[in-house]
Amino acid sequence: VAMGLGLSFEEGVALSFVAGTLIASGPIFFGEPMAPGWITPALPIVIAAFATKGQFNGVYDPATFQFMAAMCFEFTALILILGLTGWGKLLVEKIPNGLKAGIILGAALAAFYQVFYEDFDAYLVQPVSMTVAIILCVITTFSNPFKKLAVKNRFFEVVGSLGLLPGFVIAGLLAFILGELTFNIEWGFKIPAVMSLIEKTSPIFIGLPSAQMYVDALPLVIIGYMLLFGDLVTATEVLKDAQKHRDDEILPIDLNRSHLSVGIRNLLASIINPFFPTQGALWTGVHVVVAEQWKKGPKQMPSIFDGIGSYYLMGIPFLYFTLPFVTLMQPLMVMALTLTLILTGFACAYVAMSIPKKNSEMATALLIAFFITFYSAWVGLVIGLLLSVFVDGLDEETA
């Protein structure tokens, strides 16, 4: 994504390092019992917004990151106001089903549009390995027959527990064997290009956003908050379920603190390296894995923070300094982005399709998704509100 916005690969690594360090502060400094991550479903919508402006073309433009800063500043303000006043829960509960489903379906449609239309030339560079990666990762993540097989077979259970890794590794090896990519692995350590990144993206160096940028960013920020709140609900439910199995450690769940954590992280990111939507509340895969291990008792995991810390404190920040890992991943970046978008699209489609209760809400959701993807977030939200009022009716949703 960073390279699509005109940053070099080294600056992209630095961007991931900065984002990962701020994300790690959630459990380490704020005491959040959640495994934080990106607001991933917002990613394809944000990419689509830049693509329609002609800014996702690999050419660096300071205005792109001024717009990013506008999103991050606005998102920070919205999180702190809605989260700390408790209005966020009220807002999300009152959003009509059709509009809610349309926004999430818009993320799915934007993801598929980006992969199979906007960036299809990149797909054709590695057609076999890309296809294998998508098929394997979709099967291990979503397939009901595979899940049934995993219940009966220990090997498939282990494969399924590893998430995207088996499919990604197999596809990477296949790409190397077929000559669809080549590796140039270097050894040693290297400090990420953080200063170069800051000079190209920080509003301190490139200037503050214009008033119009804040106006254009607002619908994306609202969508981002809705998706963030959904992540908070998911994370909380997973923790509450896990808590039933452990009386020795009471999990400190506090949504006000969660909002404060995400808000402060977004504010710091806005100043250092604005990149919406990297500062969210939940990395679902890690969160679920840690919670499942924590449920097994103190011998398996004395504290939930031991499990979360093993990801964020011991592993992730260190990897950005190791050249073997960085150079190994470099040729796999396009495949990694493709998999992220496709699987996000699948997950969002699953969720979106389950929300509507009436035929009119299904139609509303599809139209909103269409306009968000192919026009703009503003157009999608306005049309969605009109359809929700005059087609769906608000009586049942707001009762």
Side-chain angles (χ1 to χ4, degrees):
V1 179
M3 294 169 73
L5 296 175
L7 299 180
S8 67
F9 174 75
E10 289 74 17
E11 289 162 347
V13 172
L15 186 153
S16 297
F17 169 69
V18 171
T21 302
L22 289 173
I23 285 171
S25 68
I28 295 169
F29 292 109
F30 290 92
E32 281 290 280
M34 304 173 185
W38 291 35
I39 311 173
T40 311
L43 181 63
I45 296 178
V46 171
I47 291 176
F50 282 114
T52 54
K53 293 171 177 280
Q55 293 176 317
F56 197 71
N57 56 3
V59 178
Y60 170 73
D61 181 358
T64 299
F65 291 95
Q66 288 176 327
F67 186 70
M68 279 283 195
M71 282 193 283
C72 290
F73 282 132
E74 217 162 43
F75 193 52
T76 298
L78 190 67
I79 290 170
L80 295 179
I81 293 170
L82 294 181
L84 299 181
T85 59
W87 296 341
K89 184 173 185 290
L90 184 66
L91 173 68
V92 173
E93 286 178 349
K94 294 297 182 183
I95 292 174
N97 284 337
L99 181 56
K100 193 182 301 182
I103 288 171
I104 299 172
L105 188 60
L109 193 57
F112 295 134
Y113 178 74
Q114 189 66 37
V115 171
F116 295 113
Y117 184 80
E118 288 288 339
D119 290 340
F120 195 59
D121 287 344
Y123 187 98
L124 293 177
V125 173
Q126 302 170 354
V128 177
S129 55
M130 283 280 203
T131 303
V132 169
I134 292 171
I135 291 172
L136 291 178
C137 290
V138 167
I139 288 174
T140 56
T141 307
F142 297 108
S143 169
N144 289 322
F146 181 83
K147 290 176 183 177
K148 292 177 181 177
L149 191 61
V151 172
K152 301 175 183 177
N153 187 291
R154 176 63 180 166
F155 172 76
F156 290 108
E157 181 186 357
V158 172
V159 170
S161 69
L162 294 174
L164 309 184
L165 186 60
F168 190 65
V169 169
I170 291 171
L173 289 173
L174 187 62
F176 178 71
I177 292 169
L178 296 177
E180 291 186 346
L181 60 78
T182 55
F183 293 102
N184 183 23
I185 298 175
E186 300 176 21
W187 300 96
F189 299 91
K190 185 176 181 180
I191 297 173
V194 175
M195 283 311 302
S196 173
L197 174 74
I198 292 174
E199 289 172 1
K200 280 189 174 182
T201 62
S202 171
I204 296 173
F205 286 89
I206 64 175
L208 293 171
S210 65
Q212 185 60 44
M213 287 179 178
Y214 286 105
V215 174
D216 293 341
L218 184 57
L220 294 167
V221 168
I222 293 172
I223 290 170
Y225 181 80
M226 287 180 55
L227 296 170
L228 170 70
F229 197 90
D231 281 346
L232 287 171
V233 171
T234 301
T236 301
E237 290 305 312
V238 170
L239 292 177
K240 285 181 178 178
D241 177 69
Q243 184 70 81
K244 298 173 185 176
H245 301 265
R246 292 282 297 265
D247 296 327
D248 59 298
E249 182 181 25
I250 304 302
L251 299 178
I253 302 171
D254 183 344
L255 287 185
N256 283 344
R257 186 188 58 228
S258 300
H259 278 81
L260 190 63
S261 167
V262 177
I264 291 176
R265 285 191 273 121
N266 270 278
L267 179 60
L268 292 173
S270 306
I271 298 168
I272 301 170
N273 165 229
F275 205 84
F276 186 84
T278 58
Q279 296 303 315
L282 181 66
W283 183 355
T284 308
V286 172
H287 185 70
V288 171
V289 168
V290 170
E292 286 297 317
Q293 292 301 311
W294 182 76
K295 281 162 61 171
K296 295 178 181 178
K299 289 185 178 179
Q300 183 75 19
M301 187 181 292
S303 169
I304 198 166
F305 292 101
D306 295 328
I308 297 173
S310 67
Y311 280 92
Y312 295 94
L313 187 61
M314 302 303 294
I316 294 174
F318 176 72
L319 290 176
Y320 295 114
F321 291 86
T322 58
L323 278 176
F325 173 77
V326 171
T327 53
L328 173 68
M329 291 302 297
Q330 185 171 1
L332 296 170
M333 285 295 98
V334 174
M335 186 184 295
L337 176 60
T338 299
L339 282 176
T340 299
L341 292 174
I342 290 293
L343 294 174
T344 297
F346 261 90
C348 288
Y350 264 52
V351 174
M353 295 297 186
S354 68
I355 294 174
K357 302 295 187 291
K358 300 181 292 186
N359 289 338
S360 61
E361 290 173 347
M362 294 179 189
T364 295
L366 181 59
L367 287 169
I368 292 170
F370 173 83
F371 284 107
I372 286 176
T373 302
F374 296 104
Y375 289 87
S376 73
W378 261 129
V379 174
L381 286 182
V382 170
I383 289 178
L385 287 170
L386 292 173
L387 290 172
S388 297
V389 173
F390 296 109
V391 177
D392 295 337
L394 299 178
D395 51 332
E396 292 182 20
E397 290 89 354
T398 57

